Amino acid sequence: MTAPVAHPGPDGVDLVLDTDVLVLGGGPAGTWAALAAREAGAAVILADKGYVGTSGATAPSNTGALYLPDPAQRAALIAKRWPGTHGLADRAWLERTMEISFRRIDQLADKGYPFPVDETGQTYRANLRGPDYMRFMRKLVLEAGVRVLDHSPAQELLVDGEGTVAGAAGYSRQQNQRWRVRAGAVVIATGGCAFLSKALGCNVLTGDGYLMAAEAGAVMSGMEFSSVYGIAAAHASVTKGLPFFWATLTHEDGSPVEPKGDRATTIASAHVSGRTVYAKLDKADEAMRGWLRRSQPNCFLPFDRLGIDPFTQRFPVGLRLEGTVRGTGGIRLTDETCATGVPGLYAAGDAATREEIGGASTGAGGPNASWAIATGALSGAAAAVFARTAGTGRALRAIGGAGLRPSDGGSAIAADEVVRAVQAEMLPPERNLFRTGAGLDASRDRLDGVWTEIAARPLSGDPVRVREAAAMAATARWIVASARQRPETRGINRRTDRPLTDPDQARRILSGGLGRVWARPVPETTVTRSGVPS
């Protein structure tokens, strides 16, 4: 394997590089993929929309991880979590994720990651403090010889004449230049889509990887499991839900808020009826208050800045959509190497469907963090192997469509206008959380209209935002189509007109397409030995 090589660029492209493996996305999954590919001997380039080490949902947060050395602990966790998957997870993937997460977290310790030490001198390895973790991962990838392109979002994939993915092209924000990387294989680890809801760390997560993968022929799975809303103080973007376990919820007049399921659903129900909800964390005793402040320090910064004591003073609360960042929808994986079914293309982390471990429910912090570690490591290693078989000197073509190459021309549409139109369907709980068949049909028609316009006409605005707008529109259409194909309530797919779970619908929903979006259940004949669709 050779080191990344630079070449003179064609017209309009300022930086051209060759490498073995190109990783798109610099969060946990992307950095683990880059490390694994280097361990396998590949030359690696990692391109991120932000600055590797600070961008994405993990960097500003504190997250747990599955660190379970004892097989009995792992079996107990699977038994505990299995009912919540509603029959759509895969036990083999759960076991694989825990094993790889355990080994890779030990690798972090061996490399010198500063895990906390308890009073007995034992390190506590089931928690990763986001800023330290991602700063450490940046250090590791640079030490490993990975070339990092910061502030350089990928915008489209490159394929050869056989349709094999062989690189990507993008835009460097700080250099204001176009880049193109030819690669033997590509890993998409660009995260999920939160539709620019302003949830902490999520505003760089706009479904870019989904769109690029779909343009190459990849398929989505579980996109209906995307309506996760995080609870936040109305004045803040931090959506950590843990402190709200100790919250009393009241209306403007001080009367208690009637529970409507979980806390997010309760708050959403009140908002839909036009009422503001206030919270006070007064159920936490003194010891718990101290623990919460130590374990979740970023949750309390917004209160401290405004002089609010959330344990004794009530404050208005809101909801911020976390979409597939916390839901389970994403690019379908076809095997344990994180292949996508498109030659040369792999997916990891939130970009890949997490149905394998979460089924119909959100995985939550620990499982999601471990999924990023495991799929990152698996995809990077597999991409390195694939790259060894990839031919050189192939003629490549860029395959990006909407936002880059309008089919008809005409007057431009402002990208921000497209974003607002998509958000109007995805952000309001009355449309995306409390779903109905009629409501989904109406959203489908409006989103189809948006897509028809942006596929045909140029988009104006920031060169990164125009592609984000297209990716958000595509993602929203797969979500709506998949939810329409699941006329039941299962996990985080809630249908107010179909409130019951139908045992006959314990199958995954695949979706795809761009001009004509489709969604369909996985045929029974593809059910695997582990009891779930492949």
Side-chain angles (χ1 to χ4, degrees):
M1 298 292 167
T2 58
V5 177
H7 299 282
D11 290 345
V13 180
D14 303 288
L15 177 65
V16 178
L17 298 167
D18 280 2
T19 192
D20 298 321
V21 173
L22 172 63
V23 178
L24 305 179
T31 49
W32 278 111
L35 283 177
R38 285 294 296 141
E39 290 166 358
V44 181
I45 292 175
L46 188 160
D48 188 51
K49 184 184 280 188
Y51 181 83
V52 176
T54 63
S55 70
T58 298
S61 304
N62 206 32
T63 184
L66 301 181
Y67 183 78
L68 301 169
D70 186 347
Q73 293 176 301
R74 300 178 191 180
L77 182 68
I78 290 175
K80 178 181 178 182
R81 294 187 60 84
W82 192 255
T85 69
H86 297 270
L88 297 184
D90 185 329
R91 291 180 188 274
W93 261 112
L94 279 161
E95 292 166 354
R96 187 180 300 122
T97 297
M98 286 190 281
E99 170 60 22
I100 296 173
S101 176
F102 166 64
R103 287 193 284 108
R104 290 291 180 170
I105 288 174
D106 272 356
Q107 182 181 350
L108 282 181
D110 293 342
K111 294 286 187 181
Y113 180 80
F115 286 104
V117 179
D118 66 19
E119 60 276 6
T120 68
Q122 297 296 312
T123 57
Y124 181 68
R125 300 185 181 183
N127 183 272
L128 296 164
R129 187 178 167 87
D132 299 337
Y133 175 33
M134 292 316 303
R135 188 183 309 120
F136 196 77
M137 292 302 294
R138 179 182 180 88
K139 172 176 174 285
L140 291 185
V141 298
L142 291 175
E143 288 178 349
V146 174
R147 178 165 180 173
V148 174
L149 305 179
D150 291 309
H151 304 291
S152 299
Q155 294 191 297
E156 59 182 330
L157 295 176
L158 310 177
V159 301
D160 66 13
E162 303 297 320
T164 299
V165 172
Y171 177 75
S172 174
R173 308 183 81 136
Q174 293 195 323
Q175 281 74 42
N176 189 29
Q177 65 180 17
R178 301 279 172 185
W179 60 262
R180 175 177 290 207
V181 174
R182 299 169 58 102
V186 174
V187 177
I188 287 184
T190 49
C193 182
F195 296 97
L196 297 173
S197 67
K198 299 181 180 177
L200 183 65
C202 289
N203 261 27
V204 294
L205 306 174
T206 49
D208 309 0
Y210 300 156
L211 178 57
M212 288 188 285
E215 288 170 337
V219 169
M220 307 297 131
S221 184
M223 295 303 283
E224 70 274 29
F225 304 124
S226 55
S227 56
V228 178
Y229 289 77
I231 305 172
H235 58 275
S237 62
V238 182
T239 53
K240 285 289 185 182
L242 182 64
F244 290 92
F245 278 92
W246 291 272
T248 297
L249 301 179
T250 54
H251 292 298
E252 300 92 327
D253 58 5
S255 61
V257 177
E258 180 183 359
K260 300 281 189 180
D262 59 32
R263 279 177 294 279
T265 305
T266 296
I267 294 168
S269 297
H271 286 177
V272 169
S273 64
R275 305 195 69 178
T276 301
V277 174
Y278 295 81
K280 184 162 60 175
L281 310 181
D282 55 351
K283 295 180 182 177
D285 59 23
E286 286 299 324
M288 181 56 65
R289 294 177 186 186
W291 181 82
L292 284 171
R293 277 194 171 274
R294 290 191 300 275
S295 63
Q296 306 285 328
N298 58 343
C299 292
F300 296 93
L301 288 175
F303 295 107
D304 295 341
R305 288 169 179 157
L306 293 175
I308 297 173
D309 179 355
F311 298 108
T312 61
Q313 296 174 274
R314 71 176 196 159
F315 53 90
V317 295
L319 298 171
R320 296 194 183 277
L321 180 66
E322 296 179 312
T324 57
V325 176
R326 195 170 289 268
T328 60
I331 301 168
R332 182 197 193 198
L333 302 180
T334 57
D335 61 28
E336 67 275 13
T337 72
C338 300
T340 63
V342 178
L345 185 64
Y346 299 81
D350 294 354
T353 178
R354 269 197 311 270
E355 285 177 301
E356 309 291 0
I357 63 167
S361 299
T362 175
N368 291 355
S370 294
W371 174 255
I373 293 171
T375 54
L378 289 167
S379 62
V385 172
F386 187 92
R388 294 183 193 130
T389 67
T392 58
R394 295 173 287 175
L396 305 182
R397 61 185 174 90
I399 58 172
L404 295 176
R405 297 179 182 86
S407 61
D408 296 333
S411 59
I413 311 170
D416 286 341
E417 180 182 336
V418 174
V419 169
R420 287 192 291 273
V422 174
Q423 288 178 323
E425 305 304 323
M426 291 288 104
L427 298 188
E430 58 268 36
R431 288 186 177 172
N432 195 25
L433 180 60
F434 304 118
R435 295 169 172 167
T436 65
L440 290 167
D441 286 346
S443 288
R444 177 199 59 200
D445 294 344
R446 289 188 287 265
L447 289 167
D448 283 352
V450 170
W451 185 263
T452 298
E453 290 293 313
I454 64 175
R457 296 166 58 186
L459 297 184
S460 63
D462 178 271
V464 175
R465 178 55 55 88
V466 298
R467 193 61 167 157
E468 290 178 336
M472 288 171 52
T475 303
R477 295 174 77 213
W478 296 318
I479 288 173
V480 170
S482 299
R484 196 66 183 91
Q485 275 294 316
R486 187 175 291 286
E488 62 163 349
T489 292
R490 182 181 296 270
I492 54 177
N493 179 64
R494 300 175 181 84
R495 286 285 296 266
T496 57
D497 56 345
R498 301 291 183 97
L500 302 180
T501 299
D502 180 355
D504 292 335
Q505 296 186 46
R507 292 187 291 169
R508 294 183 182 175
I509 303 292
L510 304 182
S511 59
L514 292 165
R516 183 183 295 275
V517 164
W518 56 266
R520 58 174 178 265
V522 174
E524 296 280 2
T525 53
T526 62
V527 172
T528 68
R529 286 181 300 173
S530 56
V532 297
S534 62

